[in-house]
Amino acid sequence: MKRFAVCFLALALVFGLGTTGVFACSAVYVGKDVSTDGSTIVARSEDQGTGAYNKMFVVVPRVENQPGRFLTDVQGFKYPLPATTYKYTMVPDASGYGDGVYAGASTNEYGLSISATVSASPSEAVEKVDPFVEGGLREAALTELVAATCKTPKEGVERLAEVIEKYGSEEGNIIFLANKEEGWLFEVYSGHLWAAQKMPNDKVAMFGNQFMIGTVDPADTENFMYQKDLFTTADKNNWTVKVNGKVHLAATFGEPREDYSNMRTWMGHKIMSPSTIGEYKTSDMYPLFYSPDKKVSVLEVMDILRNRFEGTKLDASLPENKGLRVIGVERQSQIHVMQIKDKYPAEMGALQWLAFGNAEHSVFLPNFSGITDTYKAYKVDGERYNPDGAYWKYKRICALAEQNRPFYGQGVKDYWKFWEEVLYNQMQYEENVVIDLYKKDPAKAKEYVTNLHMATAAQFCNRADHLYNDLLFFVMDRNDRTAKKMGGPFVAEIGLRDAAVAKGYTLKWQGNDQPVEITKGDTTYSFEVGKDTCNLTKAGKTTAVKLDFAPLVDAGTIYVPLSVAKQL
């Protein structure tokens, strides 16, 4: 939760304003035993209080033997750093917002991944007894503190505990910490009270802005860590809520359940384990961890973070649900899905999928955490629209697509979904290349993943520019028409060569006045620029196929409807 949101919350309490939009972020966890490819997955959307909020993606280098440095936050927090701090990636705010770094998501050189944070609030009684500390640890500095100084998730838990107990916390927060050995979820309940739970490999989780750790056995130190006075403080103040004889931390320390957050928690459960959940109820205390009905893929996690309660009574497209707080909210700024695999070397500890803008109409692009630099568009600073910046390239597409989701937006979603599936398959190949190369020469492996990142980012920034221009023309061309006269919905253009290569076809083209052919085995498609049919030859039999629009040439590239690529 950003600092301006805290100010807004204070005003809301004074003037009786609604607090929708104050708390932000939704998170997903998938254990390695229940993911489709053996990944531990930690994922989160970073949601803002405003629709346009620039984020960047950078690498912070390792610093050797430089004592006397401090990690500082704009509101006064100051923490002494060790002489040596570790290399890590992060997704910071544009500097001009003035509220701190907000690194968001990070993986460091030891393979420790951190996603921070999901904001949450304690009950009024808890906050009154142990109020938040002005100048204490905040989301703005938390991710960097752990990434720069810790090697393992458990060490991260211990560092957070040490800092919160000494300096206090300014906010209620929920943090993911994971590597290939284990994962922990850390909850900050008040100024100094906290607890952490080890995340099970055979379970999944999804939640909104509410504390989630359920029943705890204080003697189970293998799976739980907590502030030493946590249970006695609760008992002393008559907060303790027990379920089946055990203290339920979320019910003990958290505020009562409400729709803003609990709907998202329910929806994640309904998507991943529909057999174990009924219809939504505001007051239900849904479990943190549960078994999915089937194994969950990275691509499915991406779609969860886009979800707008489709297919339920709460579907945001229905007029009566217009004001509901969905998962795939329009004010997302960066959304990350981090895959951690046992076979990855620590320096390449995670495959980080990052989307800018709104997940609903943006694309998740992969980056191995071993990269040593990021593409120039990811480092464009500033709070105002700048078409050179990666965030703005994707956000402007979202802004157009969401003006009319069925007519404009679906074509955008189809386009990015095609490429996400292609990229996922590509990464299955690339990860083995990287692992083999790292065994022979770690430096060359880091160079390889950096070059791969640069090429992918440049390619997709160009694709985003083309998609934006394509969609903008479509919107302008139909601006003066009624819905009934708009014709068919937007269908994105895709470069024929790109589509062919992605699906294993070879392309042959001899000039603008000649047909262009793509071939794979006994299948050949033949296209002519300006002609809205193509010839499909398969096993010696040729048929004509109707296209959504005729192929066209732009800057030397042949573009065809996305539907062509989807059927290859």
Side-chain angles (χ1 to χ4, degrees), residues 3-26:
R3 189 176 179 85
F4 67 78
V6 178
C7 298
F8 180 84
L9 180 57
L11 291 173
L13 296 174
V14 172
F15 294 108
L17 301 173
T19 58
T20 297
V22 172
F23 293 107
C25 305
S26 304

Side-chain angles (χ1 to χ4, degrees), residues 114 200 441:
I114 310 103
D441 190 331

Side-chain angles (χ1 to χ4, degrees), residues 106-124:
S106 174
T107 301
N108 72 12
E109 63 183 281
Y110 292 97
L112 171 59
S113 291
I114 310 103
S115 178
T117 70
V118 175
S119 305
S121 285
S123 68
E124 291 182 8

Side-chain angles (χ1 to χ4, degrees), residues 520-524 536-543:
K520 181 179 179 181
D522 65 353
T523 302
T524 297
L536 167 60
T537 302
K538 187 174 181 63
K541 182 180 179 181
T542 299
T543 56

Side-chain angles (χ1 to χ4, degrees), residues 65-296:
N65 196 26
Q66 291 189 21
R69 294 175 298 130
F70 293 85
L71 177 71
T72 60
D73 194 1
V74 295
Q75 99 296 22
F77 175 77
K78 186 177 182 180
Y79 180 82
L81 291 169
T84 296
T85 51
Y86 310 141
K87 172 207 171 241
Y88 54 93
T89 59
M90 68 172 181
V91 193
D93 285 3
S95 60
Y97 291 123
D99 188 34
V101 176
Y102 288 93
S106 174
T107 301
N108 72 12
E109 63 183 281
Y110 292 97
L112 171 59
S113 291
I114 310 103
S115 178
T117 70
V118 175
S119 305
S121 285
S123 68
E124 291 182 8
V126 170
E127 189 170 359
K128 184 177 180 180
V129 169
D130 184 30
F132 291 116
V133 178
E134 186 174 354
L137 184 63
R138 298 192 306 152
E139 175 184 347
L142 189 154
T143 304
E144 284 197 283
L145 172 65
V146 176
T149 66
C150 299
K151 295 182 180 181
T152 69
K154 195 165 186 178
E155 186 182 353
V157 170
E158 292 167 347
R159 181 60 42 78
L160 289 172
E162 167 211 334
V163 173
I164 290 167
E165 291 180 15
K166 181 176 181 179
Y167 298 90
S169 175
E170 193 167 304
E171 310 161 333
N173 283 315
I174 306 172
I175 302 107
F176 280 142
L177 305 100
N179 66 5
K180 60 185 178 181
E181 277 80 35
E182 62 179 4
W184 286 80
L185 182 139
F186 189 103
E187 295 191 333
V188 185
Y189 299 123
S190 59
H192 304 88
L193 300 176
W194 61 271
Q197 180 174 357
K198 191 173 183 178
M199 299 192 290
N201 292 332
D202 61 347
K203 298 289 191 280
V204 298
M206 191 276 154
F207 52 90
N209 299 100
Q210 53 192 14
F211 293 121
M212 292 298 300
I213 296 178
T215 55
V216 175
D217 178 357
D220 183 5
T221 55
E222 176 68 24
N223 293 298
F224 296 97
M225 299 171 68
Y226 44 85
Q227 197 267 349
K228 63 183 179 61
D229 297 322
L230 185 72
F231 296 99
T232 56
T233 301
D235 289 342
K236 178 182 177 181
N237 290 281
N238 297 314
W239 303 332
T240 303
V241 176
K242 291 187 176 181
V243 176
N244 297 324
K246 295 182 179 180
V247 178
H248 193 293
L249 294 187
T252 296
F253 294 98
E255 62 183 355
R257 293 311 199 217
E258 42 78 45
D259 292 340
Y260 181 81
S261 298
N262 215 27
M263 278 185 182
R264 286 176 278 153
T265 302
W266 169 81
M267 190 68 217
H269 195 139
K270 184 172 178 61
I271 292 169
M272 292 188 284
S273 187
S275 69
T276 61
I277 199 165
E279 292 300 312
Y280 173 72
K281 293 181 181 179
T282 301
S283 61
D284 278 5
M285 192 73 67
Y286 297 111
L288 170 55
F289 296 113
Y290 45 90
S291 298
D293 283 1
K294 61 182 181 63
K295 291 192 173 184
V296 180

